[in-house]
Amino acid sequence: MLRDPSMSVRNLIRQSGVELLCTTDDPADSLEYHKILAADDSFETKVLPAFRPDKCFNINKPGLAAYYEKLGAAAGVEIRDVNSLKDALLKRIDFFDSMGCRTADHGLDEFGMFVKPNPYASNEALKAALASDGRDVTAEQLCALKSDVLSFLAGEYAKKGWVMQLHMGVARNTNSAMWKKLGPDTGFDTVGFTNIPAIIELLDCMENGAGLPRTILYSIDPTANGAIGSVLGAFQTSGDGFPKVMQGSAWWFNDSIDGMREQMKSLANLSAFGKFLGMLTDSRSFTSYPRHEYFRRILCDLIGGWVEDGLYPFDPDALATLVCDICYNNTKDFFGFKI
């Protein structure tokens, strides 16, 4: 079947009715293929970059100096310390924004604690990392740098009107024997722990500092749904018609009928369900787009059950609006996509 022309990448996207998708791009990426796609009138789907700077924070892993050299070359900045790292990231944010970028995505896999932003502490952490190729970096130093640089980036995202997405609670490479044999991202990541107090302190720092942009919180830990729902209420005030902080869809191991239902039930109990942003699909997997249909069926079944139980009014027009907003309109408006 995959040899048939109808199953090409472009045709799979067309058949799935995709109007717009965002790729996941490193700050050092040239985005050359985005330029080619933007000039290609034969492909109808709009393709935008998304800013994914996780490698910038990997000061506890080997190869940091080589990566900073690559990032610095792209930005025209020699990265020697935290200030020059921030300068390079700012220049790449400007470039990504010029290419239509509307969102930044961060994986907070090793964010065990929040450290009040301190440029001196984060700079010492970075120097230790560069001097030892990541071998002599403590957990406190890692979190000091992440807290400082992420708080800085959030303020820049807010200025650009970007949405910040935070993915939390993953335990990476849990089977060390298989990690040594096959490397990362080969199927041995698991559900970990979401440190809600650290996330609260991070959001509070952003809100009272350079700025808290529109933010989406995803946790792979299903036991964190209730805590996240309560955190949303403390940071949702925006004054522009949308909650500033929202919970993202059931993610990864929770991307199942039970996981989706439980996440939506929790959100409906604790937050503004009508502003929910619906399903997220990994656009790198071109056969994953039916996930949206799977989600829509579960959503409609869940709402239909609430109507039958007398928890929602039987108002077909209002219910249709609710479903269309969750499945399409809210995401388009929240990110500011122009389609």
Side-chain angles (χ1 to χ4, degrees):
M1 285 292 294
L2 291 175
R3 293 191 186 99
D4 190 275
S6 67
M7 298 293 281
S8 70
V9 169
R10 289 192 176 200
N11 283 328
L12 284 172
I13 292 172
R14 288 186 179 107
Q15 291 170 53
S16 299
V18 180
E19 294 183 347
L20 182 148
L21 62 85
C22 297
T23 58
T24 304
D25 304 285
D26 188 271
D29 198 302
S30 67
L31 304 184
E32 58 186 293
Y33 293 105
H34 283 269
K35 297 174 184 176
I36 294 171
L37 277 170
D40 186 351
D41 294 334
S42 68
F43 189 52
E44 308 83 10
T45 301
K46 181 176 287 189
V47 181
L48 301 179
F51 194 73
R52 183 72 185 246
D54 287 2
K55 288 183 180 179
C56 300
F57 297 93
N58 290 342
I59 63 169
N60 60 333
K61 297 179 182 179
L64 183 69
Y67 173 71
Y68 280 175
E69 185 176 349
K70 179 181 178 181
L71 174 62
V77 174
E78 182 183 356
I79 300 176
R80 314 175 300 278
D81 50 25
V82 166
N83 284 337
S84 54
L85 171 61
K86 291 177 180 177
D87 187 33
L89 288 170
L90 181 56
K91 285 180 167 55
R92 298 311 289 169
I93 287 172
D94 287 341
F95 172 63
F96 271 60
D97 191 68
S98 73
M99 295 295 294
C101 181
R102 301 295 310 148
T103 184
D105 198 7
H106 293 264
L108 300 185
D109 301 341
E110 298 176 271
F111 190 68
M113 67 189 82
F114 172 78
V115 179
K116 186 175 181 180
N118 181 331
Y120 175 79
S122 61
N123 198 51
E124 289 299 298
L126 188 59
K127 288 197 300 184
L130 290 172
S132 67
D133 199 27
R135 288 184 295 272
D136 295 336
V137 177
T138 66
E140 290 79 8
Q141 288 175 320
L142 178 64
C143 291
L145 182 127
K146 284 194 173 186
S147 299
D148 178 32
V149 179
L150 187 54
S151 298
F152 162 78
L153 288 175
E156 298 304 317
Y157 301 156
K159 292 175 187 175
K160 297 292 188 186
W162 287 10
V163 174
M164 179 174 68
Q165 301 184 87
L166 303 178
H167 288 79
M168 307 167 290
V170 182
R172 297 281 182 182
N173 307 312
T174 55
N175 186 329
S176 57
M178 295 306 295
W179 175 76
K180 291 176 183 177
K181 182 178 180 180
L182 299 175
D185 304 323
T186 52
F188 299 95
D189 300 332
T190 68
V191 174
F193 169 68
T194 300
N195 191 331
I196 295 296
I199 297 302
I200 291 172
E201 290 183 277
L202 180 66
L203 296 176
D204 184 59
C205 175
M206 294 172 177
E207 179 82 320
N208 290 282
L212 176 64
R214 286 186 175 182
T215 300
I216 308 174
L217 302 178
Y218 302 88
S219 177
I220 199 173
D221 176 10
T223 65
N225 281 337
I228 290 174
S230 67
V231 170
L232 302 180
F235 295 97
Q236 282 187 331
T237 303
S238 66
D240 65 359
F242 264 92
K244 185 181 288 186
V245 182
M246 277 297 293
Q247 184 182 20
S249 58
W251 173 49
W252 200 337
F253 290 106
N254 302 318
D255 181 12
S256 63
I257 184 169
D258 290 332
M260 290 183 194
R261 289 177 67 90
E262 291 306 311
Q263 183 269 326
M264 286 190 278
K265 284 166 61 179
S266 177
L267 184 66
N269 278 324
L270 294 168
S271 188
F273 187 61
K275 295 296 186 181
F276 181 37
L277 302 170
M279 177 47 61
L280 175 78
T281 298
D282 185 345
S283 60
R284 292 170 294 183
S285 176
F286 301 111
T287 56
S288 74
Y289 293 113
R291 186 184 304 174
H292 284 276
E293 173 66 10
Y294 183 56
F295 168 82
R296 286 190 290 265
R297 290 174 180 270
I298 295 169
L299 169 68
C300 291
D301 180 69
L302 185 64
I303 293 174
W306 291 340
V307 172
E308 290 181 347
D309 291 341
L311 302 177
Y312 267 29
F314 180 60
D315 182 334
D317 291 336
L319 293 170
T321 297
L322 176 66
V323 170
C324 289
D325 284 348
I326 291 174
C327 293
Y328 181 87
N329 294 321
N330 289 348
T331 293
K332 180 180 175 183
D333 295 340
F334 193 80
F335 284 85
F337 290 139
K338 305 297 183 184
I339 302 175

